[in-house]
Amino acid sequence: MNGIDAWGFATDGPEPAGTHRDRTPDPTAGPGQAMSTRTAPPPTAAGPRPAAGEAPDPQRTARAALTRILEPGDETTGRWLREMGPEALWHTLSDDDADLPTGASPAKIAGLRLRATRAHPTADLEAVTALGGRFICPGDDEWPGQLDDLGDARPIGLWVRGTANLRLWALRSVAVVGARACTEYGAHLAATLGAGLADRGWTVVSGAAYGVDGAAHRGTLAADGATIAVMASGVDHPYPRGHTELIGRIAGQGLVVAELPPGDHPTRSRFIQRNRVIAALTRGTVVVEAELRSGSLVTARRAQTLGRFTMGMPGPVTSGLSAGVHQLLRGEAAVVTDADEVIELVGSIGDLAPERQGQTRIRDLLDPVAALVLEALPARGTADTGHLAQEAGTPREVTRAKLFELLSLGFVQRCGDRWELARRAEATGGSRRGGT
């Protein structure tokens, strides 16, 4: 029996245990498509909360404590976590007499042990529960398996606000990122792209920052779509402050996700590390406006290294805010202009963007001989049938027949025994010898 991998694609092996219980088929989805994002069930199977009087899961508690101690994306401590397990690592960092992890410097351990004194995981777990949220860990049914691609930089766990299932929503998701100080052009593109992806049942993931991020979230919310905000702070610590209302709307209609525990604040390095989660969580990343030095480009390049699709929406070549996007497009990124083109790249087989054509004019529908006769007519003045036959290289009888066809279509008019172009220049396409 075929199974489903972390992205929702069919595999030849059996489906991993525990991954089928929260998968709700979408009767409107096409072959190979994942379930609808708008009907995803609440995460009842993710990160189970202990019943009254029941002892909390020690590994979950340890991971919650480590999110207060370790910095996101630290591959050294990530290796310790992989080798030792969360409980042993927490014990090591909490006990001054415990043996050091392999290869650990005393200075680094001393700093982490200072941080360990502020870790109160039970209080943090209670705080996120009071918000209506939860803490999910690797191995939970709600854990997005694609985050495991980060290796030792994988999140210790994720603090989540919102009732939707993170794993299901991430199966069909696209990151939309870009400049904070974006132009009206960039904001319009991001909002339109967010709404377009939402209309097609895709989840929009961004960082809730000013500029492109906020526009993408708002466009998705306006279309009643699914959106995820990945924060560089705790899920109860809205940042930027000016987006407090927006982040609250996202928590109500979508999901707010963070590696940091409740109440923790953002730093410059945490913004950079937040970008790796956005890149790994989604099928692809779209950059809308970015300078040559931009955190959005960090997200896009991390997506490339993870084997995700990387896309860019071009802007004016005179705009410094588009310079980073254009540099990206000269590399491995693909040009996209709307949601259809994004989905054609990241979606299933058959998710093709509509074919684009220029405006069709009446003269485009003429048969080749009629077009030759029409081209033979002078731009000004008249010509007889014999002259036109000679110019067009067609027999006189054929030329005469085609002239009457052109007359009925309004391209030419008759002046006795001679012919001239009709005065409706636009209708005739402004035809003249040599074409226009």
Side-chain angles (χ1 to χ4, degrees):
M1 176 178 175
N2 289 340
I4 302 294
D5 67 10
W7 287 107
F9 292 115
T11 66
D12 294 331
E15 184 175 1
T19 59
H20 66 284
R21 288 174 291 177
D22 54 2
R23 183 173 293 114
T24 304
D26 179 6
T28 64
Q33 289 184 341
M35 62 297 300
S36 169
T37 58
R38 298 192 186 187
T39 58
T44 55
R49 301 185 180 96
E54 181 182 347
D57 176 6
Q59 289 212 13
R60 186 176 305 279
T61 302
R63 284 184 176 273
L66 291 172
T67 64
R68 182 71 71 178
I69 302 169
L70 308 181
E71 277 297 306
D74 186 333
E75 294 191 41
T76 300
T77 57
R79 176 175 57 82
W80 298 345
L81 178 60
R82 171 172 52 81
E83 294 174 348
M84 302 175 61
E87 292 178 79
L89 180 57
W90 184 27
H91 171 72
T92 295
L93 298 178
S94 303
D95 185 353
D96 291 342
D97 297 326
D99 293 334
L100 301 184
T102 304
S105 70
K108 186 177 183 71
I109 292 297
L112 293 176
R113 283 176 173 168
L114 282 175
R115 278 191 168 187
T117 61
R118 68 179 189 178
H120 303 287
T122 301
D124 287 337
L125 291 168
E126 290 175 352
V128 78
T129 300
L131 291 170
R134 57 206 177 276
F135 178 64
I136 63 174
C137 302
D140 289 346
D141 286 348
E142 195 183 355
W143 182 260
Q146 58 269 32
L147 292 179
D148 298 343
D149 292 347
L150 290 169
D152 288 338
R154 179 181 72 173
I156 301 165
L158 290 174
W159 303 86
V160 181
R161 285 178 64 192
T163 59
N165 186 292
L166 176 60
R167 184 180 68 82
L168 295 185
W169 273 26
L171 288 175
R172 283 165 56 87
S173 64
V174 175
V176 180
V177 296
R180 286 176 172 81
C182 69
T183 65
E184 290 185 8
Y185 167 81
H188 172 75
L189 285 184
T192 303
L193 180 59
L197 290 167
D199 286 340
R200 295 285 296 272
W202 283 74
T203 303
V204 174
V205 180
S206 198
Y210 290 130
V212 166
D213 287 18
H217 287 306
R218 290 190 181 93
T220 307
L221 292 171
D224 195 27
T227 189
I228 300 173
V230 181
M231 308 293 292
S233 59
V235 293
D236 62 340
H237 187 89
Y239 189 90
R241 290 296 184 183
H243 276 179
T244 299
E245 180 182 359
L246 173 63
I247 294 169
R249 289 176 59 201
I250 296 171
Q253 185 172 321
L255 291 170
V256 176
V257 177
E259 293 183 79
L260 298 167
D264 223 337
H265 61 85
T267 63
R268 183 179 182 84
S269 63
R270 289 172 176 177
F271 282 114
I272 298 298
Q273 293 302 328
R274 180 268 307 272
N275 293 342
R276 87 191 193 288
V277 177
I278 295 176
L281 189 65
T282 55
R283 292 261 192 104
T285 296
V286 184
V287 183
V288 182
E289 288 196 327
E291 294 181 294
L292 290 172
R293 182 179 173 88
S294 167
S296 303
L297 299 184
V298 174
T299 308
R301 287 168 181 148
R302 192 59 181 263
Q304 285 180 337
T305 63
L306 291 169
R308 310 295 195 258
F309 292 97
T310 306
M311 298 153 279
M313 302 190 84
V317 296
T318 55
S319 172
L321 281 170
S322 291
V325 180
H326 296 160
Q327 184 185 63
L328 194 67
L329 292 175
R330 295 184 65 188
E332 299 299 321
V335 175
V336 292
T337 60
D338 59 20
D340 287 328
E341 293 179 355
V342 172
I343 295 171
E344 183 175 55
L345 284 175
V346 303
S348 303
I349 295 174
D351 285 335
L352 300 178
E355 184 179 355
R356 308 200 192 287
Q357 295 180 339
Q359 180 182 3
T360 300
R361 297 187 177 185
I362 299 176
R363 69 177 299 154
D364 295 334
L365 305 177
L366 295 176
D367 66 76
V369 177
L372 283 174
V373 174
L374 182 60
E375 288 289 330
L377 281 156
R380 294 180 178 82
T382 62
D384 59 32
T385 304
H387 176 76
L388 294 175
Q390 185 180 38
E391 288 291 321
T394 55
R396 184 183 180 91
E397 296 76 10
V398 174
T399 302
R400 183 176 178 83
K402 293 302 178 182
L403 283 167
F404 277 103
E405 287 182 18
L406 294 170
L407 177 65
S408 66
L409 294 172
F411 285 100
V412 301
Q413 58 191 26
R414 193 175 182 184
C415 303
D417 293 334
R418 301 177 70 82
W419 300 86
E420 67 178 352
L421 290 172
R423 294 178 182 175
R424 294 166 53 196
E426 185 59 32
T428 63
S431 176
R432 59 180 299 169
R433 191 175 303 170
T436 58

